[in-house]
Amino acid sequence: MIATLRQGCSTVGWYVGSLMGDRDYDRYRAHQSTRHPGEPILSERDYWQSRYAAQDHNPGARCC
């Protein structure tokens, strides 16, 4: 029972974290190192600044 509850909480935490973008920088680094090995990898700060600037420039279908 407790193991099932822990697994459920872990799954919910993973899902919410994925929705909020918690793993986006890690995915970016993995992509850059495998697909573009000769190019520099942005720092986490620069990655998020670039990402937010792109969202502000092209808001698309977001609600706010």
Side-chain angles (χ1 to χ4, degrees), residues 25 28-43:
Y25 180 68
Y28 158 76
R29 281 188 9 222
H31 171 81
Q32 284 295 102
S33 61
T34 58
R35 301 287 181 165
H36 311 282
E39 296 182 19
I41 296 176
L42 295 175
S43 69

Side-chain angles (χ1 to χ4, degrees), residues 2-63:
I2 292 177
T4 303
L5 181 59
R6 283 186 184 156
Q7 179 63 35
C9 288
S10 175
T11 301
V12 169
W14 174 87
Y15 179 73
V16 170
S18 295
L19 287 177
M20 299 304 291
D22 291 352
R23 294 173 234 338
D24 288 354
Y25 180 68
D26 293 333
R27 286 184 18 224
Y28 158 76
R29 281 188 9 222
H31 171 81
Q32 284 295 102
S33 61
T34 58
R35 301 287 181 165
H36 311 282
E39 296 182 19
I41 296 176
L42 295 175
S43 69
E44 188 169 4
R45 179 182 174 154
D46 291 341
Y47 168 79
W48 286 110
Q49 285 179 339
S50 170
R51 183 167 170 174
Y52 290 141
Q55 286 178 346
D56 288 343
H57 181 69
N58 184 16
R62 71 177 191 211
C63 67

